């Protein structure tokens, strides 16, 4: 029998032989030399028949992606934006609480894989980071550090302190925490809080942080929990500041530059320079209203890795 050649409609004998070879190779796991010996053909012909089996549709290869991660979009984000890591999660549309839970689960798994015993983990306050904390069951770290004060919200019970304590307990590792709001009532109140021993100790630990997780917030309701905490007069004063991104109180314009605003000297949180100096900052983002914020954070060099959902990733890549 001559070697079969590609054709629109292969002969029955060619199809049968290709199916026999494919069954032995893919289902039975036989090596090509054994198939050639059993069927009385050359190993070259075996290789050729395997190729033709795919071309003719006898064999259909399906790549099963790990978990619910879209690896193609994840790779595209890394290549397009120079990210160190990206996880694009297939989430359940329509329910932000469910989306936060699904993204939080993926972020917790990522941390479990990349954290080393000598790492110091920093956590910024955000609802999606709180969701991640609920899924942290095993982690390696030397210390867990609170990066920002907390915002009081009626729909969020856990505080930044509880988040850091819970994650540190799962390691286990020391927790570096402080009691303070993210935004003080006035600049003098902020200065007083920053001089408190517990707050000063936490801030002194910021340079030791090697990996951090922050939420990506926009600067319009409901994309920013920080904006929600301001009074109507303060919101009016902030309207023309050109803020588009909020990373645990680090405020950026669309190009990723730090924005000086009327509330900067009232914030109890890591500074832009300190956040940017952390070797790896993982941002968790969802909601199309925050795409501009994520792009600004990446442009400014504040995010090294990103955990997000499919529609968000597609929008980020499209613009």
């Amino acid at each position: 029998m001559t070697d079969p050649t590609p054709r629109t409609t292969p002969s029955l004998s060619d199809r049968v032989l290709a199916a026999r070879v494919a069954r032995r190779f893919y289902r039975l796991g036989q090596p090509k030399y054994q198939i050639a010996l059993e069927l009385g053909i050359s190993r070259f012909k075996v290789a050729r028949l395997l190729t033709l089996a795919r071309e003719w549709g006898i064999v259909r290869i399906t790549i099963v992606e790990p978990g619910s991660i879209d690896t193609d979009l994840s790779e595209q984000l890394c290549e397009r934006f120079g990210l160190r890591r990206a996880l694009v999660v297939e989430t359940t549309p329509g329910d932000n609480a469910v989306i936060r839970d699904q993204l939080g689960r993926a972020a917790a798994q990522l941390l479990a894989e990349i954290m080393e015993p000598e790492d110091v983990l920093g956590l910024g306050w955000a609802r999606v980071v709180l969701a991640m904390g609920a899924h942290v069951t095993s982690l390696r770290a030397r210390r867990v550090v609170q990066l920002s004060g907390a915002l009081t919200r009626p729909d969020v019970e856990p505080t930044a302190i509880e988040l850091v304590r819970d994650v540190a307990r799962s390691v286990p590792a020391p927790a570096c925490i402080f009691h303070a709001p993210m935004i003080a009532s006035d600049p003098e109140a902020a200065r007083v809080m920053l001089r408190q021993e517990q707050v000063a100790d936490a801030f002194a630990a910021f340079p030791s942080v090697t990996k951090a997780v922050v939420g990506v917030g926009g600067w319009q309701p409901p994309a920013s929990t920080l904006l929600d905490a301001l009074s109507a007069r303060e919101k009016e004063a902030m309207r023309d500041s050109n803020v588009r991104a909020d990373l645990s109180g680090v405020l950026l314009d669309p190009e990723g530059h730090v924005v000086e605003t009327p509330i900067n000297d009232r914030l109890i949180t890591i500074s832009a320079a300190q956040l940017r100096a952390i070797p790896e900052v993982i941002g968790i983002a969802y909601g199309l209203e925050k795409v501009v914020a994520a792009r600004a954070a990446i442009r400014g060099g504040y995010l090294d890795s990103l955990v997000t959902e499919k529609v968000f990733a597609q929008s980020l890549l499209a613009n």
Side-chain angles (χ1 to χ4, degrees):
M1 175 181 174
T2 58
D3 285 349
T5 55
R7 62 191 73 181
T8 305
T9 305
S11 70
L12 292 178
S13 60
D14 286 346
R15 289 180 62 87
V16 170
L17 184 58
R20 292 176 69 191
V21 169
R23 181 177 181 277
R24 283 168 167 76
F25 184 79
Y26 290 109
R27 287 195 173 181
L28 303 181
Q30 292 180 349
K32 293 175 184 176
Y33 76 86
Q34 184 178 347
I35 297 171
L37 183 63
E38 289 184 1
L39 298 181
I41 57 179
S42 68
R43 278 184 284 183
F44 172 80
K45 184 180 289 187
V46 169
R48 180 64 176 155
L49 285 165
L50 289 172
T51 299
L52 292 173
R54 293 193 296 272
E55 292 179 3
W56 292 338
I58 296 170
V59 172
R60 296 182 177 88
I61 297 176
T62 301
I63 299 174
V64 179
E65 307 294 357
S68 58
I69 304 300
D70 188 317
T71 55
D72 182 55
L73 281 175
S74 300
E75 184 178 359
Q76 288 184 52
L77 286 178
C78 287
E79 292 181 354
R80 171 80 172 274
F81 299 106
L83 295 170
R84 183 177 302 177
R85 315 175 209 272
L87 290 182
V88 178
V89 184
E90 295 276 3
T91 58
T92 304
D95 189 327
N96 283 344
V98 173
I99 291 173
R100 285 194 294 270
D101 182 73
Q102 292 168 338
L103 293 179
R105 184 187 300 272
Q109 183 176 345
L110 176 63
L111 276 185
E113 293 172 357
I114 67 174
M115 291 290 293
E116 299 294 340
E118 65 273 13
D119 276 327
V120 174
L121 176 63
L123 298 175
W125 190 95
R127 285 173 292 182
V128 72
V129 182
L130 290 172
M132 181 203 74
H135 291 289
V136 173
T137 55
S138 62
L139 205 64
R140 295 172 294 179
R142 179 163 52 91
R143 198 178 191 187
V144 184
V145 179
Q146 180 181 336
L147 297 182
S148 65
L151 289 170
T152 303
R153 290 182 57 94
D155 59 332
V156 180
E157 292 185 3
T159 66
I161 294 173
E162 291 169 330
L163 166 67
V164 173
R165 279 178 172 164
D166 289 345
V167 172
R169 192 177 295 118
S170 72
V171 176
C176 190
I177 59 173
F178 60 92
H179 292 79
M182 185 183 289
I183 180 168
S185 58
D186 56 69
E188 180 57 31
R191 286 191 286 271
V192 170
M193 292 179 192
L194 289 171
R195 289 195 296 268
Q196 293 176 1
E197 182 178 2
Q198 189 183 48
V199 179
D201 287 347
F203 274 56
F206 289 169
S208 69
V209 175
T210 55
K211 290 184 174 69
V213 182
V214 298
V216 176
W219 196 244
Q220 56 187 20
S224 172
T225 52
L226 180 56
L227 182 63
D228 291 344
L230 301 178
S231 67
R233 180 177 296 179
E234 290 167 338
K235 290 177 183 177
E236 182 70 24
M238 294 288 291
R239 182 166 296 170
D240 299 325
S241 63
N242 203 30
V243 174
R244 292 296 181 272
D246 167 19
L247 304 177
S248 292
V250 174
L251 306 178
L252 307 173
D253 70 12
E255 298 304 315
H257 303 127
V258 177
V259 180
E260 292 300 324
T261 76
I263 67 167
N264 281 39
D265 55 2
R266 295 167 51 197
L267 295 173
I268 312 296
T269 188
I270 189 170
S271 71
Q274 290 169 324
L275 182 65
R276 197 174 184 187
I278 295 173
E280 182 168 5
V281 178
I282 302 166
I284 312 178
Y286 66 97
L288 294 181
E289 69 277 7
K290 302 177 187 177
V291 170
V292 172
R295 187 175 293 109
I298 294 170
R299 284 174 176 168
Y302 293 94
L303 294 185
D304 305 284
S305 300
L306 182 66
V307 178
T308 187
E309 47 90 17
K310 188 172 182 177
V311 176
F312 191 101
Q314 290 169 334
S315 182
L316 194 59
L317 289 165
N319 298 307

